[in-house]
Amino acid sequence: MSKNSRFKSGFTLGGEQAEADPLLADAFYESGDYDVIRSKEDPRCFVIGRTGAGKSAVFQRIEEEIPEHVIRINPEDLSLPYITDLQVIRYLDSLGVNLDLFWIALWKHVLLVEIIRHRYSVNTPAAKQSFLKNLRERISKDHGKEAALGYLDEFEGRFWCETEERVREITDKFTRRIDAEVEGGTSGGFVSARAVASTGTEASTESRAEQTERFQRIVNDTQLAKLNKMISVLDEDILDDQHFTYVIIDDLDRDWIDERLANDLIRCLFRTVLDLKRVRNLKVVVALRTNIFQELDFGKKSGGQEEKFRSLVLHLRWTRADLQELLDERVKASAARTDVAATSMGDLLPHANKTRGNPLHYMLERTLMRPRDAIAFANECLGVGIGKTRLTWQDIHNAERTYSAKRLLALRDEWKPTYPGIDQVFAKFRGCSGRMDKQEFQRRLDEAMLLISEPNFPGTDWLKDLSSAMWSPGKDSTGFALYQPLAKLLYSVGLIGCAVRSSRAPTFYLDDPLFADSESNYEQCEYFFPHRMYQAALNVKAGNTETTN
């Protein structure tokens, strides 16, 4: 690097989030996972990854490359908060009415109409009529398909409106059917769904059972038959090789929906995508955060389709080589915009030596092998090194303190929707040893479990559930029964790794996601390690730490 080529505040490796990343277009790294998502032949369509793993970046890249073939469905445009907040919906849910068929019909309608609008540029009443006329002429000999087109006629002037308006119309129509059933009820004990929902009045057991049965019939009487026929029309008469279409759905993990119904809605979206696999020139791709995917209950309500769902899952994973290439590409792109003469991370970092090792490996060992972590650490280092021509080891160590603190806060933000107050559990490991023996580890778990006795702790429900064996131990309770549930959580989120007696190196979730599930593994674990990414933030005691991840 030239002596005059000093780091300036404008020299960074880009943003940590795709929507605020100025280098994404110039330095996008096409990993093998990107190739899978982009592939028309590969059936995997559920993209699962931790926050910061690159899900949104992949989608944004596809949109930029082939915009004429991509439809993006934004959850914010679906009026889902409006739907789940309806008193009738909430009441049906409280009665135990299975709303799956309604949710599936809703998703199919949204996707079907968006694809047709995109394919034929249907944005006016005249465009809709022209599209329907031409399509009817092509399928005039197939009465089943022709009848299915009547479904689209039902929306009259709403077809070309915004998605939000159409979703609300379908929901309002469903609500009116429920109201009509209530008003037409003859049972003397029948109570209006709206009245019960708004006043809290309890109906008798008999009348609740009657309501559940009658409302379930309405839910089951959806227009799925016509919608399914329209899917055949979509496959055979609308989409062809020249009009291969990607539908991408992201941001389902945002906190914009009632948690009681969120899992059902997402699970039914997965079922809808599975049904749409028979459309040959269509690929619907859904991105979901790992912790939300783990919460989906496929087993109970998905008709034995869990195995099918999981066969279509792509877990985003990055290797050290992937991240190194990604950072090198970003160095080139950023250097081209500045007067910094660098072509790789190696040009910015101190030289490797036998005592300290490889500086890039040191940095990547303090990530969860995600692009966001690697970019964030590199940017912290560059911020510390402003005015220099090359970073020093001391610069990396100084940057690590700030970086580690921010990553711990990010870990809290990632998991607090599912586990409110989890940061207070993390805090119980402040000042711990870099290599905790089982006694120290379980003592700190004991302290964490006692948080449920604190009146302002927001996570009493989930923590009580994970520590239930501790509060009601049986005579044969093992260490596994008492401590494994909470230990597994800390292992799964990436805070803690563990090592069995026969191994010097700890195992982390990235190495083996199922390791903490095994009783024999837990019993054999001798040492527990806070991940290097969080050690500076937790003031972990130096010495006796692992030599490798």
Side-chain angles (χ1 to χ4, degrees):
M1 185 179 297
S2 169
K3 292 183 179 180
N4 295 323
S5 181
R6 301 180 182 276
F7 301 148
K8 298 179 181 179
S9 59
F11 181 67
T12 72
L13 299 195
E16 298 171 27
Q17 298 179 341
E19 56 269 24
D21 185 1
L23 296 183
L24 183 62
D26 295 337
F28 181 81
Y29 176 70
E30 295 189 1
S31 65
D33 287 341
Y34 172 79
D35 293 336
V36 169
I37 297 168
R38 182 75 160 72
S39 170
K40 297 178 181 180
E41 291 77 28
D42 197 301
R44 286 173 287 180
C45 55
F46 303 125
V47 183
I48 310 301
R50 295 282 299 270
T51 178
K55 302 183 296 297
S56 297
V58 167
F59 282 3
Q60 189 167 318
R61 179 67 169 188
I62 292 175
E63 279 188 290
E64 292 171 352
E65 285 192 326
I66 46 172
E68 68 278 10
H69 292 278
V70 176
I71 302 169
R72 177 183 284 268
I73 303 291
N74 293 309
E76 291 90 342
D77 297 337
L78 298 179
S79 292
L80 296 181
Y82 166 81
I83 296 170
T84 56
D85 198 43
L86 287 172
Q87 292 177 343
V88 170
I89 296 294
R90 287 177 175 270
Y91 184 59
L92 294 181
D93 182 55
S94 71
L95 284 176
V97 174
N98 187 342
L99 293 168
D100 279 14
L101 293 181
F102 173 67
W103 300 135
I104 291 170
L106 189 63
W107 282 119
K108 285 185 176 180
H109 170 81
V110 167
L111 294 171
L112 179 66
V113 173
E114 288 301 319
I115 293 167
I116 291 174
R117 279 168 43 112
H118 179 268
R119 168 67 177 85
Y120 295 103
S121 301
V122 179
N123 49 25
T124 66
K128 179 203 170 188
Q129 292 305 319
S130 176
F131 148 70
L132 289 176
K133 179 182 177 182
N134 292 335
L135 187 57
R136 279 199 174 94
E137 290 176 355
R138 291 205 303 273
I139 64 175
S140 58
K141 295 182 180 180
D142 189 324
H143 298 298
K145 289 182 179 179
E146 192 172 13
L149 290 185
Y151 174 82
L152 300 180
D153 282 329
E154 294 179 20
F155 293 92
E156 298 176 359
R158 295 284 186 178
F159 189 88
W160 63 87
C161 295
E162 294 300 322
T163 308
E164 180 178 3
E165 292 183 49
R166 285 183 275 109
V167 170
R168 289 198 181 205
E169 182 183 31
I170 293 173
T171 308
D172 290 343
K173 184 177 180 180
F174 173 72
T175 301
R176 289 193 296 270
R177 289 191 65 192
I178 295 292
D179 288 342
E181 180 70 17
V182 170
E183 293 169 2
T186 58
S187 172
F190 201 79
V191 181
S192 164
R194 287 188 174 180
V196 173
S198 61
T199 66
T201 304
E202 280 293 336
S204 69
T205 303
E206 181 179 0
S207 103
R208 285 177 63 88
E210 181 185 27
Q211 288 182 68
T212 301
E213 181 180 353
R214 294 172 66 180
F215 293 152
Q216 189 67 65
R217 286 200 301 270
I218 295 176
V219 173
N220 295 346
D221 185 25
T222 64
Q223 300 213 46
L224 278 177
K226 288 184 178 180
L227 280 165
N228 290 335
K229 195 63 177 179
M230 278 303 303
I231 291 175
S232 297
V233 174
L234 187 67
D235 176 44
E236 299 169 11
D237 305 288
I238 295 178
L239 295 182
D240 53 31
D241 292 342
Q242 293 183 335
H243 297 93
F244 190 98
T245 301
Y246 297 88
V247 178
I248 57 179
I249 305 175
D250 196 5
D251 294 329
L252 284 166
D253 49 6
R254 293 191 175 179
D255 189 18
W256 42 253
I257 197 167
D258 188 317
E259 291 182 6
R260 285 178 52 84
L261 296 169
N263 284 354
D264 284 348
L265 278 164
I266 296 173
R267 181 176 45 76
C268 289
L269 171 60
F270 275 44
R271 290 182 60 181
T272 302
V273 173
L274 191 61
D275 287 346
L276 287 168
K277 297 299 289 183
R278 57 192 172 99
V279 181
R280 290 162 293 181
N281 292 298
L282 173 69
K283 188 168 187 177
V284 182
V285 189
V286 181
L288 198 63
R289 223 167 55 194
T290 301
N291 59 309
I292 297 178
F293 179 70
Q294 291 172 346
E295 294 295 317
L296 297 181
D297 186 1
F298 291 116
K300 292 182 179 179
K301 295 185 176 181
S302 296
Q305 293 181 314
E306 181 174 4
E307 185 177 350
K308 292 182 180 179
F309 291 133
R310 299 195 182 280
S311 69
L312 298 175
V313 166
L314 172 67
H315 290 281
L316 290 185
R317 293 189 175 93
W318 293 78
T319 65
R320 179 183 288 179
D322 287 333
L323 292 177
Q324 182 169 342
E325 288 189 45
L326 178 145
L327 292 176
D328 287 346
E329 288 297 321
R330 285 174 173 272
V331 169
K332 293 177 187 177
S334 187
R337 302 181 179 193
T338 64
D339 60 355
V340 175
T343 59
S344 70
M345 280 295 296
D347 294 335
L348 311 179
L349 299 173
H351 297 293
N353 58 60
K354 293 183 179 179
T355 303
R356 295 179 180 269
N358 184 305
L360 183 57
H361 291 178
Y362 177 93
M363 294 172 64
L364 294 181
E365 285 172 354
R366 282 150 182 80
T367 73
L368 294 183
M369 302 306 290
R370 302 177 298 190
R372 183 173 298 176
D373 300 334
I375 294 169
F377 200 173
N379 283 341
E380 289 291 345
C381 291
L382 292 172
V384 170
I386 289 177
K388 297 182 178 182
T389 58
R390 182 181 286 271
L391 295 168
T392 66
W393 275 99
Q394 190 58 50
D395 292 331
I396 294 174
H397 292 310
N398 291 342
E400 183 179 351
R401 289 193 289 270
T402 303
Y403 162 76
S404 181
K406 290 180 179 178
R407 290 297 91 197
L408 188 61
L409 290 175
L411 187 68
R412 174 204 64 186
D413 293 341
E414 179 180 359
W415 293 95
K416 70 180 181 182
T418 307
Y419 302 104
I422 196 171
D423 56 312
Q424 296 183 45
V425 175
F426 298 160
K428 297 303 179 182
F429 291 87
R430 194 169 299 280
C432 70
S433 303
R435 186 180 69 176
M436 295 176 279
D437 58 26
K438 184 168 285 188
Q439 183 179 8
E440 178 186 355
F441 179 63
Q442 292 185 164
R443 175 176 59 79
R444 291 181 180 275
L445 291 181
D446 287 336
E447 294 175 0
M449 292 178 190
L450 289 173
L451 285 168
I452 66 174
S453 65
E454 298 184 8
N456 296 324
F457 178 65
T460 298
D461 290 342
W462 68 262
L463 185 54
K464 185 182 292 184
D465 182 56
L466 293 183
S467 58
S468 59
M470 184 64 72
W471 308 119
S472 303
K475 60 180 181 179
D476 298 323
S477 294
T478 63
F480 178 81
L482 297 174
Y483 293 106
Q484 185 268 352
L486 185 54
K488 178 186 175 182
L489 171 63
L490 297 175
Y491 177 84
S492 297
V493 303
L495 186 77
I496 297 295
C498 43
V500 298
R501 298 183 184 93
S502 60
S503 174
R504 292 180 60 232
T507 298
F508 285 89
Y509 182 83
L510 286 173
D511 307 313
D512 185 353
L514 300 179
F515 182 87
D517 293 349
S518 167
E519 182 171 1
S520 62
N521 284 345
Y522 183 82
E523 295 299 339
Q524 292 182 60
C525 283
E526 191 173 35
Y527 297 108
F528 298 83
F529 301 81
H531 196 284
R532 286 177 169 179
M533 185 160 74
Y534 308 112
Q535 289 187 10
L538 292 172
N539 297 317
V540 170
K541 296 176 184 176
N544 290 329
T545 59
E546 80 275 15
T547 57
T548 179
N549 281 345

